[in-house]
PDB file of all heavy atoms in Angstrom:
ATOM      1  N   TYR E1244      -5.063 -21.096 -19.348  1.00  0.00           N
ATOM      2  CA  TYR E1244      -5.335 -21.401 -20.746  1.00  0.00           C
ATOM      3  C   TYR E1244      -6.461 -20.496 -21.229  1.00  0.00           C
ATOM      4  O   TYR E1244      -7.467 -20.297 -20.542  1.00  0.00           O
ATOM      5  CB  TYR E1244      -5.754 -22.862 -20.913  1.00  0.00           C
ATOM      6  CG  TYR E1244      -4.644 -23.848 -20.687  1.00  0.00           C
ATOM      7  CD1 TYR E1244      -4.742 -24.820 -19.684  1.00  0.00           C
ATOM      8  CD2 TYR E1244      -3.491 -23.819 -21.473  1.00  0.00           C
ATOM      9  CE1 TYR E1244      -3.723 -25.748 -19.476  1.00  0.00           C
ATOM     10  CE2 TYR E1244      -2.467 -24.750 -21.264  1.00  0.00           C
ATOM     11  CZ  TYR E1244      -2.597 -25.690 -20.261  1.00  0.00           C
ATOM     12  OH  TYR E1244      -1.578 -26.607 -20.051  1.00  0.00           O
ATOM     13  N   SER E1248      -8.907 -23.120 -26.050  1.00  0.00           N
ATOM     14  CA  SER E1248      -7.555 -23.234 -26.582  1.00  0.00           C
ATOM     15  C   SER E1248      -6.609 -23.829 -25.542  1.00  0.00           C
ATOM     16  O   SER E1248      -6.960 -23.968 -24.371  1.00  0.00           O
ATOM     17  CB  SER E1248      -7.059 -21.840 -26.993  1.00  0.00           C
ATOM     18  OG  SER E1248      -5.694 -21.840 -27.317  1.00  0.00           O
ATOM     19  N   THR E1249      -5.412 -24.186 -25.997  1.00  0.00           N
ATOM     20  CA  THR E1249      -4.340 -24.552 -25.075  1.00  0.00           C
ATOM     21  C   THR E1249      -3.268 -23.458 -25.027  1.00  0.00           C
ATOM     22  O   THR E1249      -2.183 -23.681 -24.507  1.00  0.00           O
ATOM     23  CB  THR E1249      -3.698 -25.895 -25.485  1.00  0.00           C
ATOM     24  OG1 THR E1249      -3.191 -25.791 -26.812  1.00  0.00           O
ATOM     25  CG2 THR E1249      -4.705 -27.034 -25.402  1.00  0.00           C
ATOM     26  N   ARG E1250      -3.599 -22.301 -25.569  1.00  0.00           N
ATOM     27  CA  ARG E1250      -2.680 -21.154 -25.551  1.00  0.00           C
ATOM     28  C   ARG E1250      -2.621 -20.592 -24.127  1.00  0.00           C
ATOM     29  O   ARG E1250      -3.645 -20.364 -23.488  1.00  0.00           O
ATOM     30  CB  ARG E1250      -3.148 -20.093 -26.532  1.00  0.00           C
ATOM     31  CG  ARG E1250      -2.298 -18.829 -26.554  1.00  0.00           C
ATOM     32  CD  ARG E1250      -2.715 -17.892 -27.682  1.00  0.00           C
ATOM     33  NE  ARG E1250      -2.005 -16.630 -27.613  1.00  0.00           N
ATOM     34  CZ  ARG E1250      -2.498 -15.519 -27.101  1.00  0.00           C
ATOM     35  NH1 ARG E1250      -3.744 -15.484 -26.635  1.00  0.00           N
ATOM     36  NH2 ARG E1250      -1.780 -14.394 -27.070  1.00  0.00           N
ATOM     37  N   ASP E1334       2.575 -24.838 -18.380  1.00  0.00           N
ATOM     38  CA  ASP E1334       1.353 -25.631 -18.497  1.00  0.00           C
ATOM     39  C   ASP E1334       0.859 -26.057 -17.122  1.00  0.00           C
ATOM     40  O   ASP E1334      -0.353 -26.035 -16.865  1.00  0.00           O
ATOM     41  CB  ASP E1334       1.607 -26.863 -19.370  1.00  0.00           C
ATOM     42  CG  ASP E1334       1.679 -26.533 -20.837  1.00  0.00           C
ATOM     43  OD1 ASP E1334       0.625 -26.471 -21.488  1.00  0.00           O
ATOM     44  OD2 ASP E1334       2.785 -26.306 -21.349  1.00  0.00           O
ATOM     45  N   ALA E1335       1.774 -26.426 -16.239  1.00  0.00           N
ATOM     46  CA  ALA E1335       1.383 -26.804 -14.891  1.00  0.00           C
ATOM     47  C   ALA E1335       0.719 -25.630 -14.172  1.00  0.00           C
ATOM     48  O   ALA E1335      -0.281 -25.791 -13.476  1.00  0.00           O
ATOM     49  CB  ALA E1335       2.600 -27.297 -14.096  1.00  0.00           C
ATOM     50  N   SER E1338      -2.818 -25.096 -15.611  1.00  0.00           N
ATOM     51  CA  SER E1338      -3.767 -26.193 -15.419  1.00  0.00           C
ATOM     52  C   SER E1338      -4.973 -25.744 -14.601  1.00  0.00           C
ATOM     53  O   SER E1338      -4.846 -24.902 -13.698  1.00  0.00           O
ATOM     54  CB  SER E1338      -3.070 -27.344 -14.689  1.00  0.00           C
ATOM     55  OG  SER E1338      -4.010 -28.292 -14.213  1.00  0.00           O
ATOM     56  N   MET E1449     -10.077 -32.613 -24.330  1.00  0.00           N
ATOM     57  CA  MET E1449      -9.151 -33.675 -23.968  1.00  0.00           C
ATOM     58  C   MET E1449      -9.886 -34.701 -23.113  1.00  0.00           C
ATOM     59  O   MET E1449      -9.617 -34.863 -21.918  1.00  0.00           O
ATOM     60  CB  MET E1449      -7.939 -33.105 -23.238  1.00  0.00           C
ATOM     61  CG  MET E1449      -7.069 -32.248 -24.130  1.00  0.00           C
ATOM     62  SD  MET E1449      -5.535 -31.758 -23.314  1.00  0.00           S
ATOM     63  CE  MET E1449      -4.937 -30.531 -24.485  1.00  0.00           C
ATOM     64  N   VAL E1499      -6.236 -32.837 -29.379  1.00  0.00           N
ATOM     65  CA  VAL E1499      -6.017 -31.408 -29.157  1.00  0.00           C
ATOM     66  C   VAL E1499      -4.590 -31.146 -28.669  1.00  0.00           C
ATOM     67  O   VAL E1499      -4.026 -30.075 -28.921  1.00  0.00           O
ATOM     68  CB  VAL E1499      -7.035 -30.866 -28.140  1.00  0.00           C
ATOM     69  CG1 VAL E1499      -6.758 -29.416 -27.805  1.00  0.00           C
ATOM     70  CG2 VAL E1499      -8.458 -30.999 -28.694  1.00  0.00           C
ATOM     71  N   MET E1500      -3.998 -32.110 -28.019  1.00  0.00           N
ATOM     72  CA  MET E1500      -2.669 -31.953 -27.446  1.00  0.00           C
ATOM     73  C   MET E1500      -1.574 -32.162 -28.473  1.00  0.00           C
ATOM     74  O   MET E1500      -0.587 -31.427 -28.506  1.00  0.00           O
ATOM     75  CB  MET E1500      -2.477 -32.948 -26.295  1.00  0.00           C
ATOM     76  CG  MET E1500      -1.081 -32.981 -25.698  1.00  0.00           C
ATOM     77  SD  MET E1500      -0.906 -34.282 -24.446  1.00  0.00           S
ATOM     78  CE  MET E1500      -1.785 -33.558 -23.065  1.00  0.00           C
ATOM     79  N   LEU E1501      -1.716 -33.183 -29.324  1.00  0.00           N
ATOM     80  CA  LEU E1501      -0.653 -33.552 -30.237  1.00  0.00           C
ATOM     81  C   LEU E1501      -1.239 -34.066 -31.547  1.00  0.00           C
ATOM     82  O   LEU E1501      -2.107 -34.947 -31.534  1.00  0.00           O
ATOM     83  CB  LEU E1501       0.239 -34.621 -29.587  1.00  0.00           C
ATOM     84  CG  LEU E1501       1.538 -35.010 -30.298  1.00  0.00           C
ATOM     85  CD1 LEU E1501       2.597 -35.403 -29.265  1.00  0.00           C
ATOM     86  CD2 LEU E1501       1.324 -36.151 -31.273  1.00  0.00           C
ATOM     87  N   PRO E1586      -5.575 -35.672 -19.285  1.00  0.00           N
ATOM     88  CA  PRO E1586      -4.425 -35.111 -18.572  1.00  0.00           C
ATOM     89  C   PRO E1586      -4.819 -33.921 -17.711  1.00  0.00           C
ATOM     90  O   PRO E1586      -5.916 -33.357 -17.867  1.00  0.00           O
ATOM     91  CB  PRO E1586      -3.516 -34.668 -19.718  1.00  0.00           C
ATOM     92  CG  PRO E1586      -4.467 -34.281 -20.800  1.00  0.00           C
ATOM     93  CD  PRO E1586      -5.618 -35.252 -20.694  1.00  0.00           C
ATOM     94  N   ASP E1587      -3.924 -33.497 -16.813  1.00  0.00           N
ATOM     95  CA  ASP E1587      -4.217 -32.335 -15.969  1.00  0.00           C
ATOM     96  C   ASP E1587      -3.635 -31.046 -16.536  1.00  0.00           C
ATOM     97  O   ASP E1587      -3.774 -29.979 -15.940  1.00  0.00           O
ATOM     98  CB  ASP E1587      -3.755 -32.552 -14.525  1.00  0.00           C
ATOM     99  CG  ASP E1587      -2.260 -32.831 -14.413  1.00  0.00           C
ATOM    100  OD1 ASP E1587      -1.523 -32.612 -15.398  1.00  0.00           O
ATOM    101  OD2 ASP E1587      -1.815 -33.285 -13.331  1.00  0.00           O
ATOM    102  N   ALA E1588      -2.954 -31.136 -17.692  1.00  0.00           N
ATOM    103  CA  ALA E1588      -2.441 -29.959 -18.394  1.00  0.00           C
ATOM    104  C   ALA E1588      -2.215 -30.350 -19.844  1.00  0.00           C
ATOM    105  O   ALA E1588      -2.304 -31.524 -20.216  1.00  0.00           O
ATOM    106  CB  ALA E1588      -1.149 -29.439 -17.752  1.00  0.00           C
ATOM    107  N   ALA E1589      -1.919 -29.351 -20.695  1.00  0.00           N
ATOM    108  CA  ALA E1589      -1.904 -29.586 -22.137  1.00  0.00           C
ATOM    109  C   ALA E1589      -0.553 -29.994 -22.696  1.00  0.00           C
ATOM    110  O   ALA E1589      -0.418 -30.162 -23.899  1.00  0.00           O
ATOM    111  CB  ALA E1589      -2.389 -28.328 -22.857  1.00  0.00           C
ATOM    112  N   HIS E1590       0.430 -30.159 -21.859  1.00  0.00           N
ATOM    113  CA  HIS E1590       1.763 -30.590 -22.319  1.00  0.00           C
ATOM    114  C   HIS E1590       1.790 -32.110 -22.395  1.00  0.00           C
ATOM    115  O   HIS E1590       1.303 -32.789 -21.476  1.00  0.00           O
ATOM    116  CB  HIS E1590       2.833 -30.085 -21.350  1.00  0.00           C
ATOM    117  CG  HIS E1590       4.226 -30.161 -21.860  1.00  0.00           C
ATOM    118  ND1 HIS E1590       4.907 -31.357 -21.985  1.00  0.00           N
ATOM    119  CD2 HIS E1590       5.083 -29.195 -22.287  1.00  0.00           C
ATOM    120  CE1 HIS E1590       6.113 -31.134 -22.462  1.00  0.00           C
ATOM    121  NE2 HIS E1590       6.252 -29.823 -22.654  1.00  0.00           N
ATOM    122  N   PRO E1591       2.366 -32.712 -23.462  1.00  0.00           N
ATOM    123  CA  PRO E1591       2.397 -34.176 -23.564  1.00  0.00           C
ATOM    124  C   PRO E1591       3.045 -34.880 -22.372  1.00  0.00           C
ATOM    125  O   PRO E1591       2.733 -36.025 -22.078  1.00  0.00           O
ATOM    126  CB  PRO E1591       3.201 -34.422 -24.848  1.00  0.00           C
ATOM    127  CG  PRO E1591       2.998 -33.189 -25.669  1.00  0.00           C
ATOM    128  CD  PRO E1591       2.920 -32.067 -24.671  1.00  0.00           C
ATOM    129  N   GLU E1592       3.954 -34.187 -21.698  1.00  0.00           N
ATOM    130  CA  GLU E1592       4.563 -34.778 -20.502  1.00  0.00           C
ATOM    131  C   GLU E1592       3.500 -35.120 -19.473  1.00  0.00           C
ATOM    132  O   GLU E1592       3.600 -36.128 -18.754  1.00  0.00           O
ATOM    133  CB  GLU E1592       5.576 -33.811 -19.897  1.00  0.00           C
ATOM    134  CG  GLU E1592       6.235 -34.338 -18.626  1.00  0.00           C
ATOM    135  CD  GLU E1592       7.320 -33.411 -18.098  1.00  0.00           C
ATOM    136  OE1 GLU E1592       6.975 -32.404 -17.447  1.00  0.00           O
ATOM    137  OE2 GLU E1592       8.492 -33.703 -18.372  1.00  0.00           O
ATOM    138  N   ASN E1593       2.459 -34.269 -19.368  1.00  0.00           N
ATOM    139  CA  ASN E1593       1.419 -34.490 -18.379  1.00  0.00           C
ATOM    140  C   ASN E1593       0.552 -35.688 -18.724  1.00  0.00           C
ATOM    141  O   ASN E1593      -0.175 -36.190 -17.873  1.00  0.00           O
ATOM    142  CB  ASN E1593       0.551 -33.230 -18.248  1.00  0.00           C
ATOM    143  CG  ASN E1593       1.307 -32.073 -17.661  1.00  0.00           C
ATOM    144  OD1 ASN E1593       2.172 -31.478 -18.331  1.00  0.00           O
ATOM    145  ND2 ASN E1593       1.036 -31.722 -16.423  1.00  0.00           N
ATOM    146  N   GLN E1594       0.601 -36.150 -19.975  1.00  0.00           N
ATOM    147  CA  GLN E1594      -0.071 -37.376 -20.360  1.00  0.00           C
ATOM    148  C   GLN E1594       0.846 -38.574 -20.136  1.00  0.00           C
ATOM    149  O   GLN E1594       0.490 -39.535 -19.458  1.00  0.00           O
ATOM    150  CB  GLN E1594      -0.490 -37.308 -21.836  1.00  0.00           C
ATOM    151  CG  GLN E1594      -1.310 -38.502 -22.319  1.00  0.00           C
ATOM    152  CD  GLN E1594      -2.763 -38.422 -21.899  1.00  0.00           C
ATOM    153  OE1 GLN E1594      -3.197 -37.411 -21.349  1.00  0.00           O
ATOM    154  NE2 GLN E1594      -3.510 -39.478 -22.153  1.00  0.00           N
ATOM    155  N   ARG E1631      10.040 -31.998 -29.919  1.00  0.00           N
ATOM    156  CA  ARG E1631       9.443 -32.572 -28.710  1.00  0.00           C
ATOM    157  C   ARG E1631       8.308 -33.534 -29.051  1.00  0.00           C
ATOM    158  O   ARG E1631       8.264 -34.679 -28.595  1.00  0.00           O
ATOM    159  CB  ARG E1631       8.938 -31.436 -27.822  1.00  0.00           C
ATOM    160  CG  ARG E1631       8.201 -31.838 -26.575  1.00  0.00           C
ATOM    161  CD  ARG E1631       7.343 -30.701 -26.052  1.00  0.00           C
ATOM    162  NE  ARG E1631       6.079 -30.596 -26.795  1.00  0.00           N
ATOM    163  CZ  ARG E1631       5.175 -29.640 -26.545  1.00  0.00           C
ATOM    164  NH1 ARG E1631       5.415 -28.700 -25.654  1.00  0.00           N
ATOM    165  NH2 ARG E1631       4.041 -29.628 -27.236  1.00  0.00           N
ATOM    166  N   PRO E1671     -10.311 -26.975 -23.442  1.00  0.00           N
ATOM    167  CA  PRO E1671     -10.032 -28.376 -23.740  1.00  0.00           C
ATOM    168  C   PRO E1671      -9.491 -29.171 -22.558  1.00  0.00           C
ATOM    169  O   PRO E1671      -9.775 -30.362 -22.427  1.00  0.00           O
ATOM    170  CB  PRO E1671      -9.000 -28.297 -24.875  1.00  0.00           C
ATOM    171  CG  PRO E1671      -9.241 -26.992 -25.533  1.00  0.00           C
ATOM    172  CD  PRO E1671      -9.662 -26.064 -24.415  1.00  0.00           C
ATOM    173  N   VAL E1672      -8.689 -28.538 -21.707  1.00  0.00           N
ATOM    174  CA  VAL E1672      -8.054 -29.278 -20.605  1.00  0.00           C
ATOM    175  C   VAL E1672      -9.023 -29.481 -19.442  1.00  0.00           C
ATOM    176  O   VAL E1672      -8.862 -30.398 -18.649  1.00  0.00           O
ATOM    177  CB  VAL E1672      -6.774 -28.560 -20.123  1.00  0.00           C
ATOM    178  CG1 VAL E1672      -6.065 -29.373 -19.060  1.00  0.00           C
ATOM    179  CG2 VAL E1672      -5.836 -28.315 -21.294  1.00  0.00           C
TER     180      VAL E1672
END
Side-chain angles (χ1 to χ4, degrees):
Y1244 290 120
S1248 170
T1249 58
R1250 178 173 174 260
D1334 284 275
S1338 166
M1449 293 187 191
V1499 175
M1500 174 185 284
L1501 189 148
D1587 59 14
H1590 194 287
E1592 179 176 80
N1593 294 72
Q1594 185 79 7
R1631 176 200 80 182
V1672 184

